[in-house]
Amino acid sequence: MYYQLYEFNHAALQPARAYADAVRLFYSNPLNPVAKTYFGRTVAAAAEVFERSTRRYTKPEFGLTETSVNGVKVAVREQTVWSQPFCDVIRFKRDLPESAHPGPKILMVAPMSGHYATLLRGTVETMLPYADVYITDWADARTVPVTDGSFDLDDYIDYLIDIFDHMGPDTHVMAVCQPSVPVLAAIALMEARGEKNVPASMTLMGGPIDTRKNPTAVNELAEQKDISWFRDNVIMPVPWPNPGFMRHVYPGFLQLSGFMSMNLDRHITAHKDFFMHLVKNDGDSAEKHRDFYDEYLAVMDLTAEFYLQTVETVFIRHDLPRGQMRHRGELVDPAAIRRVALLTVEGENDDISGVGQTKAAHDLCVNIPEDMRHHYMQPTVGHYGVFNGSRFRSEIAPRILDFMRSHPAGGLKTTTKAPTGVSRKKVQKRQIRAKQP
């Protein structure tokens, strides 16, 4: 019912939005002499703030049409190389000269947690000059007809295994936030089965591997409620006339409300500053605000079964660090991973995935040799700073690229003993510590 009311309110405000946009255009038109006055800029600013605060933000474009490789600009075009109802894999194909080395092949697994894959636009842009970049582009559940079936965490892991098989063993995986758990699970399952197309390395960034460590407000909310509370309070059917009509989902607008409430004063201040930038005719600052919120406010729905299974498995029961996670009945054992190098990255001020939650992967992947693993914590950055922004470009991305170049496909292939450099006693200690509540 709430989703229907949300849609109704959005439709009811359409005439007011159209009027506000007309007022903005009138008072900002250069042919209107009032547009250059303080009064004119104030009216135009108020109209734009109202229109932007009540609109629905659609999926943004990546908009990456060129990059610079070795100081030479080359064209970039998007190619869909793998497709299923709930996900496409997009390749950012660069028109490289024949003599240019393409660099490592990177698959970025974007979070399926409310925002579109375009949230990683800056991440892709940073890596493009040095690597062949692919990204998972998850579908908005309200756009997928119910005839295309369900999609839960098990399906998500199946998708990843299929993608890894499609891309081959020379792939380096970057999992940003939420997908850290399913990526680790998919690779553990492939290793346990002895499959040949496991990635060369996995980079887990700000992910909830073990949310018992330094729990954040998000983690505490999940532990305070049982799964029935989430099922009864945040799961809703998609209203007509969306293509996914009657599909049960966790709506994106609820996810966005939760994110914004965590830093509500900051968002209010940002919109107040935006209004003043418009009044003062500070175009550059106003445009930065538009760019950020065009991305931040564009949200997607998640299927109910995926959301509920993820909340229960990752945040309530902590199945992975307890050694109890299963995929369609098969135990997920990170200790099976031997051939895939592991890099974990955290932000010192991360208020979504607390410090230590991602690093916990090292306590679980006990059979990865010491020279194939590394942990890095970036000082003074929050959650988004782990994969975007100036610190990511200057300090985190170079480390990721160096790690990938140092661990090409074809690492440790098969062994039944503790890897060189890791004593059996140390392995046992890690296993015991990982399973402790």
Side-chain angles (χ1 to χ4, degrees):
M1 188 64 182
Y2 287 122
Y3 206 157
Q4 284 81 354
L5 287 173
Y6 174 80
E7 291 284 295
F8 175 79
N9 288 334
H10 183 268
L13 283 170
Q14 180 60 36
R17 277 194 302 276
Y19 177 74
D21 203 33
V23 169
R24 179 188 64 81
L25 291 172
F26 177 78
Y27 281 97
S28 59
N29 191 316
L31 299 179
N32 183 354
V34 181
K36 298 181 180 180
T37 66
Y38 185 85
F39 172 79
R41 292 196 299 270
T42 300
V43 174
E48 181 169 352
V49 169
F50 173 82
E51 191 277 330
R52 292 183 62 84
S53 298
T54 57
R55 76 162 68 159
R56 167 173 286 156
Y57 289 79
T58 57
K59 179 182 178 180
E61 299 291 333
F62 279 102
L64 301 174
T65 58
E66 66 177 20
T67 188
S68 178
V69 179
N70 296 325
V72 178
K73 285 188 176 182
V74 298
V76 176
R77 63 182 185 275
E78 297 178 22
Q79 291 182 334
T80 300
V81 298
W82 184 93
S83 184
Q84 288 293 327
F86 289 92
C87 182
D88 293 331
V89 174
I90 297 174
R91 181 189 184 188
F92 297 90
K93 183 172 176 55
R94 301 165 298 168
D95 291 337
L96 295 175
E98 292 185 3
S99 59
H101 190 279
K105 181 165 66 174
I106 300 177
L107 171 66
M108 294 184 185
V109 184
M112 189 177 179
S113 56
H115 285 101
Y116 292 97
T118 51
L119 188 68
L120 303 188
R121 182 188 296 104
T123 320
V124 174
E125 188 175 20
T126 299
M127 294 298 191
L128 267 180
Y130 314 103
D132 185 13
V133 181
Y134 300 70
I135 195 168
T136 57
D137 187 19
W138 301 102
D140 184 348
R142 70 179 175 186
T143 67
V144 183
V146 293
T147 53
D148 284 333
S150 62
F151 183 84
D152 61 13
L153 183 58
D154 289 331
D155 294 312
Y156 190 116
I157 293 172
D158 287 337
Y159 270 34
L160 291 177
I161 292 173
D162 196 25
I163 293 169
F164 295 158
D165 277 332
H166 177 81
M167 296 191 62
D170 58 340
T171 304
H172 299 270
V173 180
M174 286 177 61
V176 179
C177 189
Q178 169 268 324
S180 294
V181 171
V183 163
L184 184 59
I187 292 174
L189 291 165
M190 294 179 75
E191 284 273 46
R193 299 167 185 171
E195 298 186 16
K196 64 179 181 180
N197 288 322
V198 291
S201 74
M202 55 176 162
T203 300
L204 311 181
M205 310 176 68
I209 299 297
D210 188 351
T211 59
R212 297 172 300 176
K213 300 179 181 294
N214 293 316
T216 63
V218 176
N219 308 146
E220 290 172 351
L221 173 63
E223 291 205 337
Q224 291 168 4
K225 311 290 184 181
D226 59 23
I227 197 63
S228 62
W229 183 91
F230 290 95
R231 185 181 294 109
D232 294 339
N233 289 276
V234 302
I235 301 302
M236 307 170 189
V238 175
W240 184 85
N242 294 286
F245 174 56
M246 293 306 293
R247 178 182 292 281
H248 282 76
V249 299
Y250 173 46
F253 71 86
L254 285 184
Q255 177 87 327
L256 180 63
S257 299
F259 277 141
M260 295 193 74
S261 65
M262 293 174 62
N263 298 286
L264 187 59
D265 55 340
R266 188 182 304 173
H267 291 293
I268 293 173
T269 300
H271 281 76
K272 182 186 71 174
D273 292 343
F274 174 59
F275 174 81
M276 295 309 301
H277 292 320
L278 292 172
V279 172
K280 295 175 181 177
N281 205 25
D282 184 355
D284 290 341
S285 297
E287 193 59 33
K288 289 179 181 178
H289 176 97
R290 293 190 189 100
D291 290 343
F292 175 79
Y293 279 99
D294 282 352
E295 192 75 56
Y296 188 77
L297 298 176
V299 291
M300 54 187 283
D301 294 355
L302 311 180
T303 63
E305 56 273 17
F306 169 79
Y307 174 76
L308 293 173
Q309 189 180 358
T310 299
V311 168
E312 188 170 27
T313 301
V314 178
F315 297 99
I316 296 179
R317 296 201 312 246
H318 314 289
D319 283 353
L320 183 62
R322 289 180 185 270
Q324 298 174 357
M325 184 174 179
R326 291 186 176 273
H327 170 262
R328 305 195 188 281
E330 183 179 356
L331 183 66
V332 175
D333 182 13
I337 304 174
R338 301 173 183 273
R339 297 172 289 170
V340 184
L342 171 63
L343 171 64
T344 52
V345 182
E346 296 181 336
E348 182 182 27
N349 300 327
D350 195 330
D351 59 354
I352 294 179
S353 295
V355 172
Q357 292 186 8
T358 313
K359 186 181 179 181
H362 292 275
D363 294 331
L364 305 178
C365 301
V366 294
N367 285 319
I368 298 177
E370 292 290 347
D371 61 354
M372 291 175 60
R373 62 167 78 228
H374 182 67
H375 174 72
Y376 176 70
M377 185 179 73
Q378 177 61 50
T380 70
V381 303
H383 187 69
Y384 293 98
V386 170
F387 59 88
N388 211 340
S390 60
R391 296 293 178 87
F392 171 77
R393 291 190 294 270
S394 63
E395 301 183 45
I396 298 176
R399 286 178 166 85
I400 295 174
L401 289 165
D402 286 345
F403 185 81
M404 292 175 175
R405 295 183 186 116
S406 301
H407 300 285
L412 184 65
K413 290 298 181 184
T414 56
T415 178
T416 57
K417 300 179 181 180
T420 304
V422 184
S423 68
R424 176 58 57 187
K425 185 176 181 181
K426 188 172 183 179
V427 167
Q428 291 172 341
K429 284 183 177 179
R430 283 181 179 168
Q431 290 173 330
I432 293 171
R433 187 167 62 248
K435 293 181 180 180
Q436 286 177 344

PDB file of all heavy atoms in Angstrom, residues 54-78:
ATOM      1  N   THR A  54      11.376  16.772  -5.719  1.00  0.00           N
ATOM      2  CA  THR A  54      10.152  15.981  -5.875  1.00  0.00           C
ATOM      3  C   THR A  54      10.150  15.119  -7.135  1.00  0.00           C
ATOM      4  O   THR A  54       9.208  14.350  -7.335  1.00  0.00           O
ATOM      5  CB  THR A  54       8.927  16.912  -5.926  1.00  0.00           C
ATOM      6  OG1 THR A  54       9.089  17.864  -7.009  1.00  0.00           O
ATOM      7  CG2 THR A  54       8.769  17.672  -4.622  1.00  0.00           C
ATOM      8  N   ARG A  55      11.177  15.196  -7.941  1.00  0.00           N
ATOM      9  CA  ARG A  55      11.208  14.409  -9.174  1.00  0.00           C
ATOM     10  C   ARG A  55      11.657  12.970  -8.897  1.00  0.00           C
ATOM     11  O   ARG A  55      12.245  12.678  -7.869  1.00  0.00           O
ATOM     12  CB  ARG A  55      12.148  15.031 -10.207  1.00  0.00           C
ATOM     13  CG  ARG A  55      13.618  14.794  -9.890  1.00  0.00           C
ATOM     14  CD  ARG A  55      14.538  15.012 -11.079  1.00  0.00           C
ATOM     15  NE  ARG A  55      14.614  16.401 -11.492  1.00  0.00           N
ATOM     16  CZ  ARG A  55      15.625  16.884 -12.212  1.00  0.00           C
ATOM     17  NH1 ARG A  55      16.646  16.088 -12.536  1.00  0.00           N
ATOM     18  NH2 ARG A  55      15.643  18.147 -12.569  1.00  0.00           N
ATOM     19  N   ARG A  56      11.409  12.083  -9.830  1.00  0.00           N
ATOM     20  CA  ARG A  56      11.961  10.728  -9.791  1.00  0.00           C
ATOM     21  C   ARG A  56      13.201  10.710 -10.679  1.00  0.00           C
ATOM     22  O   ARG A  56      13.140  11.071 -11.856  1.00  0.00           O
ATOM     23  CB  ARG A  56      10.963   9.697 -10.279  1.00  0.00           C
ATOM     24  CG  ARG A  56      11.600   8.326 -10.551  1.00  0.00           C
ATOM     25  CD  ARG A  56      10.572   7.275 -10.862  1.00  0.00           C
ATOM     26  NE  ARG A  56       9.871   6.872  -9.665  1.00  0.00           N
ATOM     27  CZ  ARG A  56       8.657   6.347  -9.661  1.00  0.00           C
ATOM     28  NH1 ARG A  56       8.007   6.220 -10.792  1.00  0.00           N
ATOM     29  NH2 ARG A  56       8.098   5.988  -8.532  1.00  0.00           N
ATOM     30  N   TYR A  57      14.285  10.271 -10.108  1.00  0.00           N
ATOM     31  CA  TYR A  57      15.548  10.247 -10.836  1.00  0.00           C
ATOM     32  C   TYR A  57      15.701   8.909 -11.549  1.00  0.00           C
ATOM     33  O   TYR A  57      15.686   7.848 -10.923  1.00  0.00           O
ATOM     34  CB  TYR A  57      16.719  10.487  -9.879  1.00  0.00           C
ATOM     35  CG  TYR A  57      16.782  11.909  -9.367  1.00  0.00           C
ATOM     36  CD1 TYR A  57      15.938  12.333  -8.344  1.00  0.00           C
ATOM     37  CD2 TYR A  57      17.653  12.827  -9.936  1.00  0.00           C
ATOM     38  CE1 TYR A  57      15.987  13.640  -7.885  1.00  0.00           C
ATOM     39  CE2 TYR A  57      17.702  14.133  -9.482  1.00  0.00           C
ATOM     40  CZ  TYR A  57      16.867  14.537  -8.459  1.00  0.00           C
ATOM     41  OH  TYR A  57      16.906  15.840  -8.020  1.00  0.00           O
ATOM     42  N   THR A  58      15.836   8.960 -12.857  1.00  0.00           N
ATOM     43  CA  THR A  58      15.972   7.742 -13.647  1.00  0.00           C
ATOM     44  C   THR A  58      17.426   7.281 -13.665  1.00  0.00           C
ATOM     45  O   THR A  58      18.326   7.992 -13.204  1.00  0.00           O
ATOM     46  CB  THR A  58      15.495   7.982 -15.084  1.00  0.00           C
ATOM     47  OG1 THR A  58      16.250   9.067 -15.653  1.00  0.00           O
ATOM     48  CG2 THR A  58      14.014   8.344 -15.103  1.00  0.00           C
ATOM     49  N   LYS A  59      17.629   6.093 -14.195  1.00  0.00           N
ATOM     50  CA  LYS A  59      18.976   5.518 -14.248  1.00  0.00           C
ATOM     51  C   LYS A  59      19.891   6.423 -15.068  1.00  0.00           C
ATOM     52  O   LYS A  59      19.614   6.724 -16.231  1.00  0.00           O
ATOM     53  CB  LYS A  59      18.923   4.126 -14.882  1.00  0.00           C
ATOM     54  CG  LYS A  59      20.283   3.474 -14.998  1.00  0.00           C
ATOM     55  CD  LYS A  59      20.187   2.114 -15.685  1.00  0.00           C
ATOM     56  CE  LYS A  59      21.552   1.482 -15.846  1.00  0.00           C
ATOM     57  NZ  LYS A  59      21.475   0.164 -16.517  1.00  0.00           N
ATOM     58  N   PRO A  60      21.006   6.868 -14.487  1.00  0.00           N
ATOM     59  CA  PRO A  60      21.929   7.733 -15.233  1.00  0.00           C
ATOM     60  C   PRO A  60      22.720   6.934 -16.272  1.00  0.00           C
ATOM     61  O   PRO A  60      22.766   5.706 -16.235  1.00  0.00           O
ATOM     62  CB  PRO A  60      22.867   8.279 -14.137  1.00  0.00           C
ATOM     63  CG  PRO A  60      22.237   7.901 -12.833  1.00  0.00           C
ATOM     64  CD  PRO A  60      21.424   6.672 -13.102  1.00  0.00           C
ATOM     65  N   GLU A  61      23.351   7.650 -17.173  1.00  0.00           N
ATOM     66  CA  GLU A  61      24.246   7.033 -18.146  1.00  0.00           C
ATOM     67  C   GLU A  61      25.663   7.013 -17.583  1.00  0.00           C
ATOM     68  O   GLU A  61      26.037   7.859 -16.777  1.00  0.00           O
ATOM     69  CB  GLU A  61      24.227   7.822 -19.458  1.00  0.00           C
ATOM     70  CG  GLU A  61      22.878   7.897 -20.135  1.00  0.00           C
ATOM     71  CD  GLU A  61      22.440   6.552 -20.695  1.00  0.00           C
ATOM     72  OE1 GLU A  61      23.329   5.733 -21.023  1.00  0.00           O
ATOM     73  OE2 GLU A  61      21.223   6.318 -20.792  1.00  0.00           O
ATOM     74  N   PHE A  62      26.453   6.044 -18.024  1.00  0.00           N
ATOM     75  CA  PHE A  62      27.863   6.066 -17.658  1.00  0.00           C
ATOM     76  C   PHE A  62      28.553   7.257 -18.322  1.00  0.00           C
ATOM     77  O   PHE A  62      29.351   7.955 -17.703  1.00  0.00           O
ATOM     78  CB  PHE A  62      28.550   4.770 -18.078  1.00  0.00           C
ATOM     79  CG  PHE A  62      28.331   3.641 -17.115  1.00  0.00           C
ATOM     80  CD1 PHE A  62      27.415   2.639 -17.391  1.00  0.00           C
ATOM     81  CD2 PHE A  62      29.035   3.580 -15.927  1.00  0.00           C
ATOM     82  CE1 PHE A  62      27.202   1.596 -16.511  1.00  0.00           C
ATOM     83  CE2 PHE A  62      28.843   2.543 -15.027  1.00  0.00           C
ATOM     84  CZ  PHE A  62      27.916   1.553 -15.327  1.00  0.00           C
ATOM     85  N   GLY A  63      28.245   7.488 -19.588  1.00  0.00           N
ATOM     86  CA  GLY A  63      28.765   8.670 -20.287  1.00  0.00           C
ATOM     87  C   GLY A  63      30.266   8.689 -20.458  1.00  0.00           C
ATOM     88  O   GLY A  63      30.859   9.765 -20.588  1.00  0.00           O
ATOM     89  N   LEU A  64      30.907   7.531 -20.468  1.00  0.00           N
ATOM     90  CA  LEU A  64      32.366   7.469 -20.637  1.00  0.00           C
ATOM     91  C   LEU A  64      32.667   7.178 -22.103  1.00  0.00           C
ATOM     92  O   LEU A  64      32.589   6.040 -22.559  1.00  0.00           O
ATOM     93  CB  LEU A  64      32.953   6.389 -19.731  1.00  0.00           C
ATOM     94  CG  LEU A  64      32.692   6.578 -18.232  1.00  0.00           C
ATOM     95  CD1 LEU A  64      33.193   5.370 -17.436  1.00  0.00           C
ATOM     96  CD2 LEU A  64      33.365   7.857 -17.729  1.00  0.00           C
ATOM     97  N   THR A  65      32.988   8.203 -22.839  1.00  0.00           N
ATOM     98  CA  THR A  65      33.185   8.066 -24.286  1.00  0.00           C
ATOM     99  C   THR A  65      34.647   8.089 -24.701  1.00  0.00           C
ATOM    100  O   THR A  65      34.964   7.758 -25.841  1.00  0.00           O
ATOM    101  CB  THR A  65      32.454   9.194 -25.031  1.00  0.00           C
ATOM    102  OG1 THR A  65      32.944  10.469 -24.570  1.00  0.00           O
ATOM    103  CG2 THR A  65      30.947   9.112 -24.777  1.00  0.00           C
ATOM    104  N   GLU A  66      35.543   8.484 -23.803  1.00  0.00           N
ATOM    105  CA  GLU A  66      36.960   8.474 -24.131  1.00  0.00           C
ATOM    106  C   GLU A  66      37.797   8.384 -22.862  1.00  0.00           C
ATOM    107  O   GLU A  66      37.325   8.655 -21.755  1.00  0.00           O
ATOM    108  CB  GLU A  66      37.356   9.729 -24.916  1.00  0.00           C
ATOM    109  CG  GLU A  66      37.233  11.023 -24.140  1.00  0.00           C
ATOM    110  CD  GLU A  66      37.699  12.233 -24.941  1.00  0.00           C
ATOM    111  OE1 GLU A  66      37.758  12.134 -26.184  1.00  0.00           O
ATOM    112  OE2 GLU A  66      38.019  13.257 -24.309  1.00  0.00           O
ATOM    113  N   THR A  67      39.029   7.950 -23.026  1.00  0.00           N
ATOM    114  CA  THR A  67      39.985   7.900 -21.931  1.00  0.00           C
ATOM    115  C   THR A  67      41.370   8.167 -22.502  1.00  0.00           C
ATOM    116  O   THR A  67      41.541   8.264 -23.724  1.00  0.00           O
ATOM    117  CB  THR A  67      39.939   6.539 -21.211  1.00  0.00           C
ATOM    118  OG1 THR A  67      40.738   6.593 -20.032  1.00  0.00           O
ATOM    119  CG2 THR A  67      40.449   5.413 -22.102  1.00  0.00           C
ATOM    120  N   SER A  68      42.340   8.290 -21.617  1.00  0.00           N
ATOM    121  CA  SER A  68      43.712   8.563 -22.042  1.00  0.00           C
ATOM    122  C   SER A  68      44.586   7.367 -21.692  1.00  0.00           C
ATOM    123  O   SER A  68      44.656   6.962 -20.523  1.00  0.00           O
ATOM    124  CB  SER A  68      44.233   9.830 -21.343  1.00  0.00           C
ATOM    125  OG  SER A  68      45.581  10.083 -21.700  1.00  0.00           O
ATOM    126  N   VAL A  69      45.234   6.783 -22.698  1.00  0.00           N
ATOM    127  CA  VAL A  69      46.131   5.649 -22.512  1.00  0.00           C
ATOM    128  C   VAL A  69      47.526   6.053 -22.946  1.00  0.00           C
ATOM    129  O   VAL A  69      47.747   6.388 -24.115  1.00  0.00           O
ATOM    130  CB  VAL A  69      45.651   4.424 -23.318  1.00  0.00           C
ATOM    131  CG1 VAL A  69      46.603   3.250 -23.128  1.00  0.00           C
ATOM    132  CG2 VAL A  69      44.235   4.033 -22.899  1.00  0.00           C
ATOM    133  N   ASN A  70      48.447   6.065 -21.993  1.00  0.00           N
ATOM    134  CA  ASN A  70      49.828   6.492 -22.266  1.00  0.00           C
ATOM    135  C   ASN A  70      49.878   7.879 -22.889  1.00  0.00           C
ATOM    136  O   ASN A  70      50.653   8.146 -23.814  1.00  0.00           O
ATOM    137  CB  ASN A  70      50.532   5.482 -23.177  1.00  0.00           C
ATOM    138  CG  ASN A  70      50.676   4.123 -22.527  1.00  0.00           C
ATOM    139  OD1 ASN A  70      50.874   4.017 -21.317  1.00  0.00           O
ATOM    140  ND2 ASN A  70      50.564   3.062 -23.324  1.00  0.00           N
ATOM    141  N   GLY A  71      48.999   8.751 -22.401  1.00  0.00           N
ATOM    142  CA  GLY A  71      48.992  10.123 -22.878  1.00  0.00           C
ATOM    143  C   GLY A  71      48.246  10.347 -24.172  1.00  0.00           C
ATOM    144  O   GLY A  71      48.180  11.476 -24.669  1.00  0.00           O
ATOM    145  N   VAL A  72      47.645   9.300 -24.733  1.00  0.00           N
ATOM    146  CA  VAL A  72      46.926   9.411 -26.001  1.00  0.00           C
ATOM    147  C   VAL A  72      45.436   9.167 -25.751  1.00  0.00           C
ATOM    148  O   VAL A  72      45.059   8.169 -25.125  1.00  0.00           O
ATOM    149  CB  VAL A  72      47.455   8.392 -27.035  1.00  0.00           C
ATOM    150  CG1 VAL A  72      46.661   8.487 -28.336  1.00  0.00           C
ATOM    151  CG2 VAL A  72      48.931   8.612 -27.287  1.00  0.00           C
ATOM    152  N   LYS A  73      44.594  10.057 -26.228  1.00  0.00           N
ATOM    153  CA  LYS A  73      43.156   9.885 -26.066  1.00  0.00           C
ATOM    154  C   LYS A  73      42.639   8.811 -27.008  1.00  0.00           C
ATOM    155  O   LYS A  73      42.959   8.799 -28.197  1.00  0.00           O
ATOM    156  CB  LYS A  73      42.421  11.206 -26.330  1.00  0.00           C
ATOM    157  CG  LYS A  73      42.560  12.220 -25.201  1.00  0.00           C
ATOM    158  CD  LYS A  73      41.667  13.428 -25.423  1.00  0.00           C
ATOM    159  CE  LYS A  73      41.747  14.384 -24.229  1.00  0.00           C
ATOM    160  NZ  LYS A  73      40.847  15.554 -24.415  1.00  0.00           N
ATOM    161  N   VAL A  74      41.837   7.911 -26.450  1.00  0.00           N
ATOM    162  CA  VAL A  74      41.225   6.854 -27.254  1.00  0.00           C
ATOM    163  C   VAL A  74      39.734   6.821 -26.972  1.00  0.00           C
ATOM    164  O   VAL A  74      39.284   7.178 -25.880  1.00  0.00           O
ATOM    165  CB  VAL A  74      41.861   5.476 -26.942  1.00  0.00           C
ATOM    166  CG1 VAL A  74      43.338   5.469 -27.295  1.00  0.00           C
ATOM    167  CG2 VAL A  74      41.654   5.089 -25.484  1.00  0.00           C
ATOM    168  N   ALA A  75      38.973   6.395 -27.973  1.00  0.00           N
ATOM    169  CA  ALA A  75      37.522   6.316 -27.817  1.00  0.00           C
ATOM    170  C   ALA A  75      37.140   5.105 -26.973  1.00  0.00           C
ATOM    171  O   ALA A  75      37.833   4.080 -26.965  1.00  0.00           O
ATOM    172  CB  ALA A  75      36.853   6.237 -29.189  1.00  0.00           C
ATOM    173  N   VAL A  76      36.022   5.239 -26.264  1.00  0.00           N
ATOM    174  CA  VAL A  76      35.483   4.158 -25.439  1.00  0.00           C
ATOM    175  C   VAL A  76      34.025   3.942 -25.817  1.00  0.00           C
ATOM    176  O   VAL A  76      33.273   4.908 -25.977  1.00  0.00           O
ATOM    177  CB  VAL A  76      35.582   4.501 -23.931  1.00  0.00           C
ATOM    178  CG1 VAL A  76      34.937   3.410 -23.094  1.00  0.00           C
ATOM    179  CG2 VAL A  76      37.025   4.713 -23.514  1.00  0.00           C
ATOM    180  N   ARG A  77      33.639   2.700 -25.974  1.00  0.00           N
ATOM    181  CA  ARG A  77      32.230   2.395 -26.250  1.00  0.00           C
ATOM    182  C   ARG A  77      31.790   1.218 -25.400  1.00  0.00           C
ATOM    183  O   ARG A  77      32.593   0.341 -25.057  1.00  0.00           O
ATOM    184  CB  ARG A  77      32.002   2.118 -27.735  1.00  0.00           C
ATOM    185  CG  ARG A  77      32.733   0.923 -28.289  1.00  0.00           C
ATOM    186  CD  ARG A  77      32.470   0.784 -29.795  1.00  0.00           C
ATOM    187  NE  ARG A  77      33.056  -0.433 -30.347  1.00  0.00           N
ATOM    188  CZ  ARG A  77      34.292  -0.552 -30.756  1.00  0.00           C
ATOM    189  NH1 ARG A  77      35.110   0.485 -30.676  1.00  0.00           N
ATOM    190  NH2 ARG A  77      34.738  -1.690 -31.261  1.00  0.00           N
ATOM    191  N   GLU A  78      30.514   1.214 -25.050  1.00  0.00           N
ATOM    192  CA  GLU A  78      29.968   0.159 -24.201  1.00  0.00           C
ATOM    193  C   GLU A  78      29.503  -1.020 -25.043  1.00  0.00           C
ATOM    194  O   GLU A  78      28.856  -0.846 -26.070  1.00  0.00           O
ATOM    195  CB  GLU A  78      28.800   0.699 -23.374  1.00  0.00           C
ATOM    196  CG  GLU A  78      29.179   1.799 -22.399  1.00  0.00           C
ATOM    197  CD  GLU A  78      27.983   2.345 -21.631  1.00  0.00           C
ATOM    198  OE1 GLU A  78      26.969   1.607 -21.536  1.00  0.00           O
ATOM    199  OE2 GLU A  78      28.047   3.486 -21.143  1.00  0.00           O
TER     200      GLU A  78
END
